[in-house]
Structure formats: structure tokens, C-alpha cells
Amino acid sequence: MTSWPKLYFRLIRLFGLLVPHRLREDWLREWEAELKHRETLLAKWNNRDGTKDLLRRGLGAFWDAVWLQPQRLEDDLISDIRFGLRMLQKNPGYAAVAALTLALGIGANTAIFSIVKTVLLQPLPYTQPERLVTLWERNPLKGIAQENVSPPDLADWTAQQRVFERIAFWTGPTEFNLVQDADVIKVRAAYASSELFPTLGTAPFLGRSFLAEEDLPQGNRVALIGYDFWQNHYAGDTGVLGKTLIVDTFGRRDYTIVGVLPPRFRFPDQTEIWLPAGWNGLSRDRRGGHWLSVIARLKPEIGLATAGDEMNRIQGGIAERFGDVVIGNEVAVVPLLEQSLGVRLRPALMSLLAIVVCVLLIACANVANLSLARAGARQKEVAIRLVLGASRIRLARQLITESFLLALIGGVLGLMLAVLLVRLVVAFNRGHVPRLEEVHVDGAMLLFTLAASLVTGLLSGLAPAWQYSKPDLNSSLKDGDRSGSVGLHRSRLRGVLVVTQIALALVLLVGAGLMTRSFLRLIKIDRGFDTNRLATANIDFSVHGFTTWVQPTATRPQVALREMMERWKGIPGVRSVGAIGSLPQGVNSIRPSTFAIENHPQDAANIAKATFSAVTPDYFRTMGVPLLRGRAFTEQDILEATPVAIINETMSTRYFPGEDPIGKRIALYGRNPGELAINPLSTTPWIEVVGVVGDVRKMTLEAVKVPDVFRPYWQWPMQSPLVAIRSDIDMAGLASAMRAEVRAVSKTVPQPRVQSMDEVLSDVVAQPRFYTVLSALFGGLALLLSAIGIYGVMAYAVGQRTREIGIRIALGALPSDILRLVIGQGLKLTAIGAAIGLALAIALTRLLSALLFGLSATDPLTFAGGFVVLLGVASLACYLPARSAIAVDPMTALRRE
Amino acid sequence: MGRSYLSYTMAVILRALDNGYQYGFDIMDVTGLPSGTVYPALRRLEDLDLLRSKWEKHTIAQQESRPPRKYYELTKSGHEALVEAVARYRLHDQLPLDTREPRTSR
């Protein structure tokens, strides 16, 4: 064709690229002819607008080309799909197994993907959440990674910083008592500074948020309530503004509701009501008082590193001026999302994602192997079709279409599985894994399933399609494939697939094994007390009617507590009752206090620290904590008596190494540096150590042992004690009996929640349980799928070698020889796979180290165990076909072609 | 070959063809429809076997020093369909609008 340089011709050329190949030439001819003809005519009539006219017409060619698109595939695609469906119908067993296998892989991936997407990837529901950071005081040298901020430090930061747009703070949330008519209910409440809501970018749904003057002590007594709280307690009544909330914790106070926050706003951590910072009762001058949680919004052009450097600079200046009162000279600047997730969740979820991707790969390999096996049966059919002129590409395309069909069916099934799995996971783990309750089935999940199905179809269809479309025509047309040369290519490919499966399976086994062993270690940890038949309940004396500090008044909590304990002891079946000032070294527990040891001068860098709490005399006995030396407390250790203490073993070895601590004395520090605090109702600061007990580990995942000092409950505040009860009766009965006694003693103390210690401990390990269970599940699935894969390949191989086996048996081979032959072949593949798997596992498991407790990522026992399990399963998978090999009748085998 | 109803556009095009306008661009002129409508309709009608397409004889094209054009003509079913369509859309009284340019011979 001669070239037509004008624009409209160029357009036609361009659009012509869209037209399906076989139609293109004609199409171009038609259009160029029309344009040329018109061009000539227009020139004849001297039409000046000719070019525009021709361009206009030329542009229409685009739609023509577009219209022709369906022709490209239509005929072929529909017939391919029909063909594929027919093939699947003819082999329902194969179709079912393949679809189910793929469904498991796709379903697992969809489920984990939707969890990962919501928990890790979805931005937090605040304005530009990626710019929100939390700030903590830090001192790496002393091992303090994150500490709350003291008010004077925060004031200095706010005055000096130039990297943040806004800074705000809060305390809490904690459970407050809310008086509603005759009932006292618990609500989660936080004290918030007025800047908190603007920093997050949250405007109230109704009314207003806090004003700056409400940050000052004893400002307006106002409150903000959450959307759900508003719906549940005020039925969404817009007249709620101006109503009163009566809070009864550390004093009974009325707060006026001035605003309702928007739906789904619960910052921080499931808060239901917010009170102004001016009422948090905390001293704003104590530089050593670390009680504020701080959040800030980065200025647009500032990055994390810059902010960190700036804050370190400021804090360094503060540390220089004020010396040891300050925690440290560094500030941790942590993005809000990271802070909410905690340090383990991200690696855990990413590991789970990696695991399910491997499961999918294994599933694809299985289906590919299945297809290859079927390809053997259809060998002749293919050869004939090729000879008759079918194009190889066409054949390969048909096979891939079949594979896509299977994958789409698998995808639909997988989606159903995924929805089920997600529901189960959320139901079991809600509350323990942040943001999990936000996971739900949505469009993204469906899209992912579709994409996963397409990728799966491609992966599992590629190998057979490729093999299929280039068989050796000659030998497959001949009857009886004696040389097995055609099968050789295929069996090599199958071998590669199986080796891949085995390698992946081993990696998953080792990974799941490491996590499982780590988890078992976690739950079996000796916490230092006896967890059998132990119930706990938290009694809240912070309501009005009880004094808060340790004074010999009749309204101090200890009086009521003692009466309650006596009554509980009287409940039939109860063996012993004890109480401690707060959770046994739990996560939100009391902070350690510094103390002095008599006749042991200390240097400022290493001041002695221990956690001080109060216990009743029977506490240790009830908990099953052994008394190692000295004596336990008695009811004679009252406020007016000598101040005494019991210390734990860790404290004893750390601060009284090599000596008997009994009789030694310690003292708490007072307000001013160097000064010792005088005990209430006493003239001396010194506290005498009278006993040593065994260690109780902190109720956290790390379960460390820390130095503890226990004071008798009459000599120490007991505002919100945790009661421990050892009994023989069931939880429900115990709970109602206990609650009845509480009510009998006090009408204002809220009804306690009674839990078994097992439940409490279970909550502690809830997050590791979440990802360990899932990885064990998927690891097991991977093993199962690989076993099926090995079995399939071995069964096929035995089928292929039937003649050979028949001959060997005829020539006198023993069953054991045949077994060795078959299993040997299988184990060779397994060995190669296992070797690759081991290498991969060693390289990859270090990514899990953040998740493992007390276990190295290359723990040899786990690796060995995984290897042995794999070998065992593989042997079994080989053994079954081997058994049928032995049963081969030589005569039948030899006769068969 | 079952056919559902013909659209108005297609009916108009058939009518144009019947009236002797057999080239794509001519049909465009006479019906006033844009090329983006006419050509897809022509393809569709050809699929339905109401039209067939042919190429001009080379000799004619060579005479006029241009490449041969493709033209369309009604098939027997096309004529039948046209009759039906004319009745349905009452095209009796509507002649094709424009007879601006001379028709070329086949």
C-alpha cells in the first residue's frame, strides 16, 4: 500500500491496530478507499472544509474497530469454554478434587488477605492518619523503651518544638463507675486534653468538644460521650446535651454532657466517655510523675526521623537541666498505627500471609500434576488433533481455559470457605487482636478472590498446557509406549512439581512447628503460683463512701474488704481467700517505686526499684506461692504497728545478695530528692523485711520476674484490690455467692466480675494463640496437600512401570525388592525436596524471631522434627501405591499394552 | 437464523441501501448518521445475513486512480427484513434526505 501521510489516514492506521488480526487488512482497505475517494471528490469541488470532514469521518473508525473486538475472541472463547465444561463433566472426580484443592488454597488466601488488609493496611479512621504519632520518653540505656510523659516535660516540649502542628495528651482509658438510677455500671473513660480531637481531626457529631480552659485543673465539669453510648443509654435523643453523668470513682462528681462524638470513634482503645483533662486529679508540676500519653500531628513537610531528632534535642536539654529526676534524654516518636498494633502483630500477619501463599502454590502444583496425569490419558487424542491441523496455541488455550474454569469454581468455593473462616477467626479473637472486628466481607475481598483464581488458573494450567502442546507425535500415535520417552518429559516436570511441593511443605512445617512450640512454652510457663481452681474478682472501692489514703478511718476500704473476705470464707466449698492491691504484676499494673536500703548507699545511676503492693495475710497461701523464709503477715500487722514488708526471691537476690534479708530495713523516697518518706502514723521511714516468698512472674507474654515488695493491707492503699479465691465449686455458683456477699456489705460497691484464673491467663496469650492456631492449621493443610501430591505422582509412576514391575516379579523379584524400588524412587524425590526445604527454612525462619518466646528461629529440634514428620508422611504416601505394585500380576502386566 | 427486531437505525440503513446508496460514506451522507454508528450497524447487518459485502471491480477503480471501495447490497432476507421494517417504522413517506452527490456506478 502506498503511504497516505495525511492525518486522517494516520488515524485509520492507528485504529487499525485495534482490529483483530484476521480482519485487519480488509478493514484498512475499506476505510482508506472510502477516505481516498471522498478526498478526491472534495478536492474536485474545491471544498475548504474537506479536512475537517474527513477527520470527523475518520474518527468514527475508532468505534468500528472497537465494535470488532468481540470478534477477536468470541467464537474461540465460547467454544473453548464449552469444550472445557464438557471435559470437566466427563471427569467429575478429577474436577471435584482439583476444584476442592484450589478452593482450599484460594479460600485461605482470601481470608488472610482480608485480615491483613483491614488490620495492617487500612488507614486509621482519622484525618490523614499517617501523620499522627505517639510520643514517649525513652532511655535505651536503662531498658526503658516507652514511658508516659510527665506534665512539665510535655509543657517544655510544646513550648520548644517546631515539628508538630498539634500536640495533645490523654490518660486512660480506665473503668469508671457510672451511677444510673439505682444501678452502678462500669464505663471505659479517658481524660482528654482539648487538643485531642482537633489533632485527630475529629469533629463532634453533636454539640462541642472540650475548650482550652477545660484543660486547667478544676475547669468546667463537662463530658463527651461516644456514639454507641449515646444510642444505648439515651436512645439517640438529640436532647442529650445538658444532661448529667454521675461518675463515682475517687469521688462522686456530676459532669454535664456537652457533645456526642461521631460513630466508630473510640480513641483511645474502646473509650466510651471522655472527661476534660482538668479533672484528672494529677499534679502538673511533678517532673517525675509520668502519667500522660501524648499524641501529635506532624507538620506536612516533616518526616519521622526529623521529628525524632528534634525531640531528642529538646529532651536532651531537659535532662541536662534536671538531671536524675528525668527518665532519659530521648523521645520515642511512634506512628499511631504501629503503636496500636504492637510489635508482634505485623510480623505475625505477614508470616501468615506467606504461609497461605505457599499453601496456594502447593495446591496449584497438585492440580498441575493432576492435569499432567490426565494428559497422559489424552495423549493420543492430542496427537491426532495436531495431525489434523489444530494449532498448538489453540490446544494450549483450550487447556488453560479448562484450568481457568476449574480455578473459578475453586474460587467460588474458596470465597465461601474464606467467609466462614473469617467469621470464626473474628468470633474467637475479637478484643484480643486490634482492629479485627473491622474485618468483613467486602468488594475488595471479592476482587482478590477473582484475581487469585485467575493467577491460580494460570499457574496450574501452564505446565500441562505447555507440555500438552508439544508432544512427540510419532511415538504417541503408535500403540504402546514402550520407550516411555513421551512420559519422560512429563515425569520430569511432575518430579519438579513434587519437589517444589515438598520443599514448601517443609518450610511451612518448620515455621508452624516453631510457633506451636513457642506457644506451648508460653502456656506451660510456671507462673509461680498454682492456677488450679483459682478464681479472681476485682472489687472497686473507688466509689464514694470510701476514703482513699491510708488513714485509720472506719470508711477505709480495708475494713469492708475484711468483712467481705470473712463472709466469702464462709461460703461452702471455698478453701481460702486472699487479696492483693492490683493484678499480680499485670500489664497495666503499678509502676515500680524507688527505695533506699538501710546502710547501703546507692549511686544515682542505679537506684533500687521494686513494685510495691499490698496483700492480705492469706494471699500467698491462697495463690499457692511458697513462703521461703521468715513469716507471713497476720491481722496484727496493722497501721499502728511496726511497718513491715515481705519481699520476693528476685528482690532478695538482687538487693541482698549473699545475705539474709530478714530483719533488714528499706524505705521509700519522699517528694524531695534524697528525702525518705515517713510511714503514715509512724515517725520512721524504715520498713522491716519479715519474710521472703517465691517469685510470681508478670502476667505478660514475656513473663519476667521482677523485684516485689509486699506490704500488709492495713499499711498500704487497697483501692481496687484483686481477690483470689481457691474453691471447689463451679464458677457460676461461686460468682453469684460472692456477689451476694458484696452487696450485703456495701450498696455502693459495684458488682464484681468473677473470672477463673485460667480465663485471665488465656487472655494474656490470646494474640499468640490467634496466629499460632492459624499457622498450625495451614501448616497441616500444606502437609496434607503435599502428601496427596506425592501419592498422586507415585501412583502414576507405578502405573507407568506396571510392565517393568510385572517382568521383575516374573523374574523372581521379592515383594520387598519391589517395595524398595518404588519407595526408593519416591524417597529420592522427597530427599531432594527436603534438602531444598531445609535450606529455605533456615534462611526464612529468622523472620519469625519476633514471634518466638524462648526459642531460637533455628531451633534444631524443631527442624529435625519437621523433617521427620515430612519423611514419615512421604513414606506413607509412597507406601500405599507401592503396595499395589506388589500386587501386580505378572501375566496381566505383560499382556497389557 | 432468528432475528429479533431491527433497530430504527438499521432500518434506515437498509432503506438507504435499497435506494442505491451502497457505499459506507454515502450511507453516512444520506442518513445523516456518523461513521461511528453506520459502520458497526453495517457489520451487524452483515452478521445477520441481511447484507453482503463486495469489492468494486478493479478496473473501475483504476480508471479513477483510487483503490477499490467496498460496497454492500441487500440479500433476499435483507429485502424481506426491509419490508417488515418499513411497515413497522412507517418509512413509506420518508425518502432518504440528501441526494447531494452523484452516485457512482458499480
Side-chain angles (χ1 to χ4, degrees):
Chain A
M1 233 176 282
T2 30
S3 65
W4 311 95
K6 307 225 180 65
L7 182 58
Y8 31 86
F9 288 115
R10 286 226 205 97
L11 270 181
I12 298 300
R13 282 295 179 93
L14 181 65
F15 296 149
L17 293 173
L18 284 173
V19 176
H21 225 269
R22 61 190 158 88
L23 305 171
R24 194 172 296 165
E25 204 184 308
D26 265 12
W27 188 85
L28 285 170
R29 279 170 63 197
E30 179 174 0
W31 274 95
E32 285 176 358
E34 290 297 306
L35 283 174
K36 187 69 186 144
H37 171 82
R38 172 141 298 241
E39 191 186 47
T40 319
L41 278 179
L42 290 173
K44 227 197 287 179
W45 302 335
N46 281 325
N47 190 326
R48 229 153 293 169
D49 289 323
T51 315
K52 253 193 260 167
D53 177 66
L54 288 166
L55 264 178
R56 200 172 27 95
R57 289 174 196 249
L59 282 171
F62 174 70
W63 297 112
D64 193 18
V66 165
W67 193 93
L68 288 170
Q69 291 315 301
Q71 295 238 6
R72 183 191 291 275
L73 301 169
E74 196 176 59
D75 309 315
D76 285 350
L77 187 63
I78 292 187
S79 81
D80 279 349
I81 291 179
R82 279 214 215 109
F83 182 78
L85 282 174
R86 251 196 341 257
M87 281 290 116
L88 292 179
Q89 267 176 333
K90 269 206 245 165
N91 295 279
Y94 156 78
V97 171
L100 194 61
T101 308
L102 293 178
L104 288 171
I106 296 176
N109 273 277
T110 306
I112 298 299
F113 165 78
S114 65
I115 294 176
V116 167
K117 176 178 89 65
T118 309
V119 174
L120 292 184
L121 299 178
Q122 202 158 277
L124 291 168
Y126 312 116
T127 311
Q128 299 198 320
E130 64 281 359
R131 291 201 351 240
L132 291 170
V133 292
T134 52
L135 304 177
W136 309 92
E137 302 202 24
R138 171 165 78 177
N139 191 331
L141 293 174
K142 286 196 189 154
I144 300 174
Q146 288 187 357
E147 179 59 88
N148 285 343
V149 185
S150 69
D153 284 350
L154 180 60
D156 286 343
W157 292 359
T158 311
Q160 295 175 34
Q161 68 85 16
R162 291 160 315 195
V163 290
F164 300 118
E165 246 170 45
R166 289 183 187 275
I167 299 190
F169 66 89
W170 79 89
T171 50
T174 46
E175 300 224 310
F176 277 15
N177 302 309
L178 200 67
V179 179
Q180 292 211 314
D181 307 318
D183 276 322
V184 176
I185 60 169
K186 291 236 175 247
V187 287
R188 284 177 73 84
Y191 289 105
S193 74
S194 59
E195 278 287 295
L196 183 64
F197 306 101
T199 305
L200 292 169
T202 303
F205 180 78
L206 215 61
R208 67 166 177 90
S209 71
F210 295 144
L211 306 168
E213 57 251 31
E214 283 149 4
D215 288 348
L216 300 169
Q218 324 288 295
N220 294 330
R221 277 227 292 265
V222 294
L224 293 173
I225 60 177
Y227 189 84
D228 288 342
F229 186 86
W230 178 49
Q231 293 294 327
N232 293 336
H233 292 94
Y234 295 94
D237 173 23
T238 47
V240 70
L241 302 181
K243 296 222 168 119
T244 311
L245 285 178
I246 306 174
V247 172
D248 188 1
T249 296
F250 300 121
R252 191 181 161 117
R253 282 194 271 270
D254 297 348
Y255 294 86
T256 313
I257 300 176
V258 294
V260 179
L261 290 169
R264 283 179 300 281
F265 182 85
R266 295 186 190 105
F267 188 92
D269 196 14
Q270 311 298 326
T271 307
E272 297 172 83
I273 67 173
W274 291 258
L275 303 174
W279 284 96
N280 63 17
L282 299 168
S283 156
R284 314 183 111 225
D285 315 314
R286 281 195 60 197
R287 211 170 269 274
H290 295 274
W291 27 63
L292 303 180
S293 306
V294 176
I295 186 172
R297 180 177 285 278
L298 288 165
K299 284 190 181 154
E301 63 280 8
I302 305 284
L304 265 183
T306 318
D309 291 338
E310 166 86 343
M311 296 312 295
N312 283 346
R313 188 185 60 77
I314 297 176
Q315 183 67 9
I318 297 174
E320 260 182 53
R321 290 204 329 268
F322 294 97
D324 295 317
V325 184
V326 176
I327 283 269
N329 55 358
E330 281 183 31
V331 174
V333 180
V334 184
L336 185 61
L337 182 60
E338 246 180 75
Q339 188 69 25
S340 337
L341 294 180
V343 88
R344 279 188 205 95
L345 198 54
R346 188 179 291 266
L349 286 177
M350 298 310 285
S351 308
L352 277 176
L353 198 59
I355 290 178
V356 292
V357 166
C358 290
V359 169
L360 186 60
L361 289 176
I362 295 178
C364 288
N366 262 8
V367 173
N369 262 332
L370 270 176
S371 304
L372 281 174
R374 273 185 64 229
R378 293 162 75 175
Q379 218 165 290
K380 237 184 237 173
E381 175 207 329
V382 171
I384 292 174
R385 290 177 71 189
L386 281 176
V387 161
L388 291 179
S391 92
R392 284 184 186 160
I393 299 185
R394 186 73 205 283
L395 275 178
R397 215 173 57 203
Q398 266 178 347
L399 273 159
I400 297 226
T401 310
E402 204 178 300
S403 175
F404 275 127
L405 279 173
L406 268 178
L408 280 170
I409 299 173
V412 168
L413 287 174
L415 185 63
M416 300 196 295
L417 276 175
V419 169
L420 187 64
L421 187 62
V422 165
R423 289 235 176 98
L424 281 174
V425 167
V426 172
F428 272 103
N429 292 290
R430 107 181 295 138
H432 300 309
V433 178
R435 308 186 78 187
L436 195 63
E437 66 278 3
E438 294 173 39
V439 178
H440 54 268
V441 182
D442 62 354
M445 203 172 168
L446 295 172
L447 268 178
F448 178 86
T449 308
L450 187 63
S453 308
L454 290 175
V455 168
T456 305
L458 195 65
L459 280 178
S460 56
L462 211 53
W466 180 58
Q467 271 300 338
Y468 213 153
S469 51
K470 51 177 183 106
D472 177 355
L473 288 178
N474 258 331
S475 25
S476 47
L477 280 178
K478 278 191 234 157
D479 270 347
D481 179 6
R482 279 186 201 114
S483 63
S485 63
V486 178
L488 199 62
H489 271 301
R490 246 172 241 137
S491 62
R492 201 170 293 152
L493 185 58
R494 303 191 77 196
V496 166
L497 286 173
V498 168
V499 163
T500 316
Q501 280 183 314
I502 293 174
L504 286 174
L506 185 60
V507 172
L508 295 192
L509 267 182
V510 169
L514 283 172
M515 288 212 255
T516 309
R517 284 193 66 204
S518 160
F519 181 71
L520 287 176
R521 263 177 204 220
L522 259 185
I523 55 183
K524 289 218 191 105
I525 248 181
D526 177 12
R527 303 237 163 219
F529 60 93
D530 182 1
T531 59
N532 261 313
R533 309 227 61 119
L534 197 61
T536 70
N538 177 244
I539 314 294
D540 188 358
F541 288 110
S542 63
V543 292
H544 90 284
F546 294 98
T547 51
T548 53
W549 185 236
V550 189
Q551 294 298 329
T553 60
T555 48
R556 53 193 160 151
Q558 286 87 338
V559 174
L561 180 63
R562 182 179 176 176
E563 192 184 339
M564 286 180 198
M565 290 200 297
E566 290 302 314
R567 284 169 170 257
W568 289 327
K569 275 191 218 155
I571 299 174
V574 168
R575 298 220 225 117
S576 70
V577 178
I580 184 170
S582 73
L583 275 169
Q585 293 86 40
V587 175
N588 288 322
S589 65
I590 30 192
R591 346 183 127 275
S593 309
T594 48
F595 63 94
I597 309 172
E598 199 175 32
N599 300 329
H600 275 54
Q602 305 183 54
D603 64 274
N606 280 315
I607 300 193
K609 268 195 180 161
T611 312
F612 280 66
S613 31
V615 295
T616 60
D618 278 346
Y619 176 74
F620 295 118
R621 188 170 68 84
T622 308
M623 292 286 280
V625 176
L627 179 69
L628 300 172
R629 315 169 77 108
R631 67 164 180 91
F633 293 139
T634 66
E635 286 293 337
Q636 276 67 53
D637 291 309
I638 55 176
L639 197 55
E640 294 80 354
T642 319
V644 290
I646 293 179
I647 63 177
N648 69 348
E649 206 176 348
T650 302
M651 165 107 171
S652 174
T653 27
R654 192 180 293 189
Y655 296 116
F656 301 99
E659 45 182 13
D660 183 1
I662 310 287
K664 300 283 195 303
R665 306 205 295 179
I666 60 177
L668 285 165
Y669 283 107
R671 293 208 136 211
N672 304 318
E675 180 186 279
L676 297 176
I678 307 288
N679 291 307
L681 253 60
S682 171
T683 49
T684 171
W686 296 111
I687 303 164
E688 183 183 335
V689 176
V690 297
V692 180
V693 290
D695 291 325
V696 172
R697 291 177 185 269
K698 259 174 122 28
M699 299 269 273
T700 57
L701 288 174
E702 289 82 5
V704 292
K705 294 185 196 172
V706 291
D708 286 318
V709 174
F710 301 101
R711 306 291 320 281
Y713 75 123
W714 291 108
Q715 297 184 357
W716 196 257
M718 212 41 175
Q719 214 56 44
S720 203
L722 191 80
V723 174
I725 306 185
R726 198 173 294 279
S727 75
D728 298 323
I729 51 184
D730 66 294
M731 286 304 303
L734 182 63
S736 57
M738 282 183 74
R739 286 202 272 261
E741 299 301 350
V742 169
R743 171 135 284 162
V745 173
S746 161
K747 297 275 181 284
T748 48
V749 171
Q751 290 283 280
R753 188 169 152 232
V754 183
Q755 262 185 307
S756 77
M757 183 55 84
D758 289 330
E759 231 182 287
V760 172
L761 287 173
S762 164
D763 283 348
V764 171
V765 298
Q767 221 184 84
R769 183 175 50 225
F770 156 70
Y771 51 77
T772 306
V773 166
L774 281 177
S775 34
L777 180 70
F778 294 131
L781 185 61
L783 186 63
L784 178 67
L785 287 175
S786 304
I788 294 176
I790 300 173
Y791 172 81
V793 167
M794 294 317 302
Y796 180 76
V798 165
Q800 290 295 89
R801 297 173 76 174
T802 307
R803 278 185 96 251
E804 179 197 335
I805 295 171
I807 293 175
R808 284 176 188 259
I809 296 180
L811 289 178
L814 297 168
S816 58
D817 295 333
I818 304 295
L819 268 180
R820 215 179 308 130
L821 179 72
V822 174
I823 296 187
Q825 185 186 17
L827 287 186
K828 198 174 71 164
L829 283 176
T830 309
I832 300 175
I836 300 177
L838 268 174
L840 274 177
I842 293 178
L844 294 175
T845 50
R846 76 192 55 201
L847 299 169
L848 287 178
S849 35
L851 305 172
L852 302 175
F853 298 94
L855 204 61
S856 130
T858 47
D859 177 53
L861 192 59
T862 314
F863 273 70
F867 183 80
V868 166
V869 168
L870 184 71
L871 211 58
V873 169
S875 307
L876 188 64
C878 295
Y879 174 69
L880 294 173
R883 263 188 26 175
S884 60
I886 301 174
V888 164
D889 173 19
M891 292 315 296
T892 330
L894 285 167
R895 243 185 274 133
R896 187 148 54 102
E897 293 289 71
Chain B
M1 180 210 58
R3 55 174 191 281
S4 39
Y5 77 101
L6 279 180
S7 71
Y8 182 74
T9 306
M10 293 198 202
V12 164
I13 291 176
L14 285 179
R15 178 120 171 132
L17 277 164
D18 193 43
N19 282 320
Y21 295 91
Q22 294 180 286
Y23 296 89
F25 276 25
D26 299 355
I27 299 175
M28 282 171 64
D29 286 339
V30 128
T31 60
L33 296 165
S35 58
T37 309
V38 167
Y39 275 92
L42 285 173
R43 315 275 182 220
R44 179 101 180 98
L45 289 166
E46 193 172 357
D47 265 358
L48 292 171
D49 265 341
L50 302 180
L51 306 176
R52 70 177 81 89
S53 61
K54 292 190 177 163
W55 292 96
E56 271 186 329
K57 290 215 196 95
H58 266 264
T59 43
I60 302 170
Q62 261 172 353
Q63 258 179 348
E64 302 185 13
S65 310
R66 56 170 179 74
R69 295 163 78 189
K70 199 186 227 186
Y71 66 93
Y72 299 84
E73 52 185 26
L74 289 172
T75 59
K76 184 153 157 298
S77 352
H79 276 287
E80 289 167 17
L82 177 59
V83 168
E84 194 181 66
V86 161
R88 177 184 298 128
Y89 292 114
R90 296 171 213 264
L91 294 175
H92 312 275
D93 306 320
Q94 293 182 25
L95 293 169
L97 304 166
D98 214 292
T99 41
R100 193 192 304 156
E101 51 140 345
R103 293 181 248 152
T104 49
S105 51
R106 266 159 251 169

